[in-house]
């Protein structure tokens, strides 16, 4: 990235930010769909019954904890690769 001009770096940064936002929105959409499909079954009321609300909360919590764990493992693997000199993409 050091070989790029300032404007090219800004453009690349903008593209990366857009890609990250798109990936986040895709992940969020999948989470909403998954938890809705797994937890919501009663369409006779405007609000979630406590059973469904609890299910949704557990579903989101489980997804969040799994995402955090995956992120931690990725960071650990990346650090190990950096230490051993195995830099991805080179």
């Amino acid at each position: 990235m050091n070989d790029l001009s300032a404007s090219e770096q800004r453009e690349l940064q903008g593209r990366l930010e857009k890609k990250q936002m798109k990936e986040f929105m895709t992940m969020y959409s999948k989470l909403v769909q998954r938890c809705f499909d797994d937890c919501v079954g009663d369409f006779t009321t405007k609000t979630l019954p406590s059973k469904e609300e609890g299910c949704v909360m557990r579903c989101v919590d489980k997804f969040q904890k799994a995402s955090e764990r995956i992120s931690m493992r990725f960071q650990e693997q990346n650090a190990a690769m950096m230490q051993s000199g195995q830099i991805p993409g080179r």
Side-chain angles (χ1 to χ4, degrees), residues 33-54:
Q33 189 65 50
R34 171 81 185 254
C35 293
F36 181 86
D37 290 345
D38 288 352
C39 298
V40 179
D42 180 8
F43 298 98
T44 60
T45 64
K46 291 182 180 181
T47 60
L48 287 174
S50 60
K51 181 179 177 182
E52 290 178 351
E53 185 175 356

Side-chain angles (χ1 to χ4, degrees), residues 26-88:
T26 299
M27 182 181 70
Y28 178 78
S29 178
K30 288 180 181 181
L31 168 65
V32 169
Q33 189 65 50
R34 171 81 185 254
C35 293
F36 181 86
D37 290 345
D38 288 352
C39 298
V40 179
D42 180 8
F43 298 98
T44 60
T45 64
K46 291 182 180 181
T47 60
L48 287 174
S50 60
K51 181 179 177 182
E52 290 178 351
E53 185 175 356
C55 178
V56 169
M57 296 300 286
R58 287 187 302 276
C59 179
V60 170
D61 187 53
K62 188 175 185 178
F63 183 86
Q64 185 177 20
K65 286 179 180 176
S67 294
E68 289 171 2
R69 180 69 180 136
I70 289 168
S71 178
M72 286 175 50
R73 289 293 294 146
F74 177 77
Q75 290 174 2
E76 291 167 3
Q77 292 290 335
N78 194 34
M81 289 174 68
M82 294 290 278
Q83 283 183 336
S84 69
Q86 298 174 349
I87 301 171

